[in-house]
Amino acid sequence: MRNSARRLSLLLLLPLLAGAGTPPAEGEERQWRLISDRNGIQVYRPSAPAARLSAFRGVTRLPAGDEYALVALLEDYAAYPDWLHFVDGARPLERDRPGPRRLRLTTLMPWPLRNRDAVVEARVTQTHETSHQQVVVSLRNRPALLPPDPDYLRLPALTGELRFRRVAPDELEVRYELSLDPGGDIPDWLTNLLLREAPHFTLERLRRVVTRAKYQGHYYPGLDLRGPGRPPSTQNVTKPQ
């Protein structure tokens, strides 16, 4: 395993936890149940949810033509509302700080819910196992990094991860999982609706937005990926070009 603490922005927040276009692996069947399967996107909920915590897993697949395009998209904070369902803003707390990336994310919730915000920290890890080469963005809640904003209800608890795993030479599996305490009182029927819609529409938009021309042809030396922006002289010992 090789750790890459590249300042990959963490894409996400409350609207996502993406799994992939395949069912959960054996051993996870007892923990997750499929609640939606539309347009190549699967959404799962825990079979036995924890008290006060809401969680979901979303899964889809993308063409693996330019893997660095996903990194470029994550670095474009202004575009987060274009693909993150319910998110209307993302602001980095320290742009040039080495190590994990820290962000404040704000949400635009449907009436009558109060808008939420979250202060999160993202760490990036890349693994090079024979059959599971992947990049993982791990998310942790850091609410104390900023004073509360009276216009928002801050999420008291949040953990999650976003995984990009090559499952074929030309195909990536995207899986995003999130577990959070949304704070306040939300009717069960509305919670179920939000947890079904958020991962589905986020992944659907992600598949479309990442193909924009401005995200193609980039190169990030901290991550060993495939893409036309990678310099020809750059050595790659983990996979062929």
Side-chain angles (χ1 to χ4, degrees):
M1 177 181 293
R2 185 177 71 183
N3 292 330
S4 176
R6 167 109 190 120
R7 298 176 294 114
L8 237 204
S9 60
L10 55 139
L11 84 103
L12 97 66
L13 182 343
L14 133 77
L16 42 195
L17 247 162
T22 57
E26 185 175 357
E28 296 183 348
E29 296 283 359
R30 296 185 300 274
Q31 299 177 9
W32 296 89
R33 59 186 176 88
L34 181 68
I35 64 169
S36 176
D37 188 351
R38 294 179 291 153
N39 194 24
I41 299 169
Q42 292 76 47
V43 177
Y44 299 87
R45 291 288 309 279
S47 298
R52 289 295 304 166
L53 292 179
S54 298
F56 56 88
R57 166 183 288 180
V59 182
T60 195
R61 291 191 176 189
L62 303 173
D66 188 351
E67 295 174 10
Y68 286 107
L70 287 163
V71 184
L73 174 60
L74 294 179
E75 291 286 324
D76 187 1
Y77 304 112
Y80 276 33
D82 292 348
W83 58 277
L84 278 173
H85 199 48
F86 297 130
V87 168
D88 69 344
R91 176 173 67 87
L93 302 189
E94 315 103 341
R95 283 193 174 274
D96 299 321
R97 179 182 179 274
R101 178 63 57 86
R102 293 170 176 175
L103 297 177
R104 182 192 181 217
L105 299 166
T106 57
T107 67
L108 183 63
M109 303 299 290
W111 184 90
L113 299 182
R114 184 178 173 188
N115 290 332
R116 266 71 170 169
D117 75 344
V119 181
V120 295
E121 180 178 88
R123 289 180 178 270
V124 180
T125 302
Q126 183 173 15
T127 65
H128 294 300
E129 301 172 14
T130 303
S131 59
H132 298 290
Q133 295 172 355
Q134 60 187 343
V135 173
V136 181
V137 183
S138 301
L139 307 175
R140 299 182 64 184
N141 203 29
R142 288 287 184 262
L145 290 178
L146 284 180
D149 185 328
D151 294 330
Y152 293 86
L153 179 61
R154 180 151 299 170
L155 299 184
L158 180 151
T159 59
E161 69 176 25
L162 183 71
R163 291 178 179 262
F164 301 100
R165 183 169 70 98
R166 189 182 301 113
V167 294
D170 60 351
E171 192 172 43
L172 293 177
E173 176 186 272
V174 182
R175 175 172 128 182
Y176 182 57
E177 295 186 11
L178 196 65
S179 179
L180 59 87
D181 179 350
D185 294 323
I186 301 179
D188 289 342
W189 68 268
L190 186 52
T191 296
N192 292 334
L193 178 64
L194 296 178
L195 292 178
R196 185 187 303 268
E197 288 191 352
H200 176 85
F201 288 112
T202 293
L203 292 176
E204 187 174 63
R205 293 169 184 169
L206 173 67
R207 294 189 311 199
R208 181 173 65 251
V209 172
V210 75
T211 63
R212 291 176 179 173
K214 67 177 180 178
Y215 301 127
Q216 312 307 307
H218 291 269
Y219 173 63
Y220 297 86
L223 294 171
D224 186 18
L225 305 174
R226 290 176 178 173
R230 188 185 186 103
S233 60
T234 301
Q235 184 179 11
N236 182 344
V237 297
T238 62
K239 43 192 173 288
Q241 290 294 294

